[in-house]
Structures are given as C-alpha cells and as structure tokens.
Amino acid sequence: MSNDLFIRNVRPMAGAAADVHVRDGRIAAIGPDLAAPAGVEVLDGGGAILTPGLVEAHTHLDKSLWGMGWRPHDAGPRLIDKIDNERRLKKLINIDPARQSARQVVQSSRMGSTAIRSHVDVDTEIGLWGMEGVLQTRADYADIMDIDIVAFPQSGLMIRPGTADLLDQAMKMGADVVGGLDPCAIDRDPKGQLDVVFGLAERYGKPVDIHLHEGGTMGAFSMDLIIERTRALGMTGKVTVSHAFCLGDPDPALVDPLIAALAELDIAIMTTGPASRPAPPIAKLAAAGVRICSGSDGIRDTWGPYGNADMLERAMFLGLRNNFRKDEEVELAFDVVTHGGARVMGLAGYGLEVGCRADLLIVPGTAITEAVVSRPSNRIVIKRGRVVARDGAVLREAP
Ligand SMILES: [Zn+2]
C-alpha cells in the first residue's frame, strides 16, 4: 500500500499556511504553495493546525476496562489496596491484556496519539500474561501505533519472590524498558529493588522507568538512590522517574538539589498533572533542562473511573495543575505531550521537518492553546503517511 499523501493547506504549529508532501511514510517536502505530485491522494487540511502525533508516554494498556461495561469502583484508599484489588480482579473478570490493550490502542489512535509507552504488569500470579497480550497488540496494530513496553513489577519486587525472574523473562520476550515501583513504600527494600532493576537494565542494555509515588522526604530519599545509581552506572539519559510526587513538595531545600541532579544526569520526569497529589513543577523542570513527558496513566481501570486517552486533554490538565494561562505556557504543556514524550521514548524522526516520519495530527484552531482548551473532536490522525483516524472514525477496529 502506498504511504504517499499530499496534505493541502495546513498550518504547522499554528503558523503560516503550508502544504505537505508525504512520500514512503515520511515528510518529503513541507512549505507554502507546493505542487501536488500527479497520482497522489490529496487531503484538504482546511487551514487547520498541523502538529506531530501526540505521544502517550505513560499508560497501562494491559489493564484498561475499556469496552467491558461499567463497574463500580470500590478499592480502598491506599496504593496497596488498589494493587491487591486489581490483581484479584484480573482473572476473576477476565481483564484480557490482548483484547484490552487493542481497545485502548484504537482509542488512543482515534484521539491523535501515534506512539505509546505502556507499563505492563509482571507478577507471580498472572506471570507474563500481560506481556504476551501487549506484545500481540504491538504486532497486530503496528500500522497505527508504535508501542514501547516497560516490564513493570506492579505488585512489588522484593516482597514477591520470583518477580525478578519474571522480569528477566519479560526482557527476553521483548520489553524495551525495565520498570520499578516505590522501592521504599511498596518493597521496603530500596537497595534490593534498585539492584535488580538497574542490574537488568545493565544486562539487557535497556533504559529504566520507575513509578515513584512516594512523597516528601521518603520520595526524595528514593530519588536520591536512583540518581546515585544512574551516576555510578553511567546511565545518563537512560532513566525516567514517573509521577515523582516528591518534586511537588513545597520545600525548595528538598526539591532544588534533586532537580539539579536530574538535569545533570539527564533523568526524565513523567507527570500526569495529577489534581489530587503534589505534582512536579513543569516550568521549573523545563527551565533546568529536564526532559518531561506525560501520559494518561491508567484509563478506566480498577484503580479509577477516569480517562479517555486524549493527550490534548492531558495537556490541558498539565496547564491547569501548573497554573499555566499565557499561550506560551500552554504551549509548553503541549510540547510535553508531543516532543517531550518523543524525547523520553527516543522516537527517531519525530517532528515536522523534511525527513521526519509522517506521524501527524491535524486539528482545528487558530492557536495551539485554543486546540488544547477546546479539544476538538474533528481531528485527522496520520500514521506513517496514512490517515488512520478522521472525525472519530478509525481505520482499525478494536476486538
Ligand atoms: Zn502508571
């Protein structure tokens, strides 16, 4: 199938009108008043904004309840309550990772994402069920989505003997990133967990992405240990800390040295812009040169009822949480859900320059900020030069 396309009259990043010639899935030319090559499909952009595809850099494809009917949410208040509740329900109500990840991938594509980083549960009860399912979806839906897989010890690593071996197997199966989780609060053995996580990263030559919900001084302590290992192992640029609520602590004496070390070692931060937890300060991190990405985290799962896979909406949440009001501030939030995610995931050829992969979003609006706050539903999503979603209708259907 040809991945050639001529896009007429779009405004790259809400700037001046341009045309785009896509050849072999890449941008071959972009500029004003290009001549449409003969025989190539022409798409009229109608003066809408053209941006690179949105990047969902933190979600959990294996456990969304999307399409499974509504379930009341009754898990207890603590993190461990939600973890235990979910592990119990997975087999009980058959949260099939292959089916559910496919459903979420299709929804993400509909909303404009062209790349996803998914953490995938690995534990001693479900074993590698999640890995098998998401790997299958990654292969089956490769035409609409790039999927990066993090092998994720959701139920803890040291407190569940056998999990380290399963993580090792997950890396052999094709996981791209080694995951970790609250080395103090969940595992109660930070040295033990980080030895395993960084040990696997070293053995397989892969990056690390650690969920760190721990707040305040405990979170700062764990982050310090992550920083120490990143430095000792020469893993500059290969580590991401997800959530990092401790960076939302009001005490600059706690936070500022951490931010300086993150910048020095190029450790990236993922934030969802959480409404109910302390959140990493995006503008301050960006000013320090820290790479920042964002994601929906869990979408309609047993943890909570929220989520629609819309990274434009996520940019709005980032803006609201960070008190962004000026256009340039909201544009920073938009950068986090596009280039920020691409930088963290290491997506090659991401952007709107000639030679970049034609993973694109066309969305109505006069300015990026207007698109973020109005989140229009009439979007056109292009993956490798092919229209994969238009006005909510998708090229690939979910099971
Ligand atoms: Zn998560």
Side-chain angles (χ1 to χ4, degrees), residues 58-60 119 152 154 211 213 242-243 270 297-298:
H58 184 117
T59 190
H60 296 262
H119 297 252
F152 178 47
Q154 171 76 81
H211 278 66
H213 308 93
S242 284
H243 299 304
M270 189 300 299
D297 205 7

Side-chain angles (χ1 to χ4, degrees), residues 36-52:
V40 170
E41 180 192 344
V42 176
L43 176 69
D44 183 6
I49 299 170
L50 175 76
T51 78

Side-chain angles (χ1 to χ4, degrees), residues 18-190:
D19 305 321
V20 186
H21 180 202
V22 174
R23 195 167 51 218
D24 297 328
R26 289 184 181 269
I27 297 173
I30 181 165
D33 304 319
L34 298 182
V40 170
E41 180 192 344
V42 176
L43 176 69
D44 183 6
I49 299 170
L50 175 76
T51 78
L54 303 172
V55 180
E56 166 71 87
H58 184 117
T59 190
H60 296 262
L61 289 176
D62 53 322
K63 51 195 185 182
S64 173
L65 302 175
W66 197 275
M68 287 180 68
W70 195 257
R71 274 189 63 82
H73 291 77
D74 52 9
R78 299 169 306 163
L79 191 67
I80 196 72
D81 297 329
K82 295 177 178 66
I83 291 171
D84 290 343
N85 178 59
E86 177 181 64
R87 204 175 51 250
R88 185 177 61 79
L89 284 172
K90 267 186 186 161
K91 283 186 176 163
L92 195 66
I93 63 171
N94 188 30
I95 308 175
D96 176 28
R99 181 191 63 220
Q100 293 313 115
S101 58
R103 287 178 179 173
Q104 190 180 321
V105 162
V106 167
Q107 173 63 13
S108 272
S109 176
R110 174 181 287 121
M111 304 312 278
S113 287
T114 53
I116 291 175
R117 172 177 280 188
S118 176
H119 297 252
V120 177
D121 287 7
V122 172
D123 71 50
T124 50
E125 268 175 52
I126 59 130
L128 298 162
W129 192 32
M131 282 297 302
E132 288 157 4
V134 178
L135 281 167
Q136 188 185 321
T137 291
R138 173 157 82 178
D140 289 351
Y141 289 83
D143 54 343
I144 63 167
M145 195 67 70
D146 289 310
I147 301 175
D148 210 16
I149 295 176
V150 186
F152 178 47
Q154 171 76 81
S155 291
L157 217 170
M158 308 309 288
I159 52 168
R160 290 190 157 258
T163 305
D165 286 340
L166 288 165
L167 282 180
D168 192 290
Q169 288 178 51
M171 298 313 294
K172 285 197 179 79
M173 286 170 79
D176 308 283
V177 183
V178 186
L181 169 80
D182 295 338
C184 291
I186 295 291
D187 259 350
R188 298 156 186 267
D189 181 0

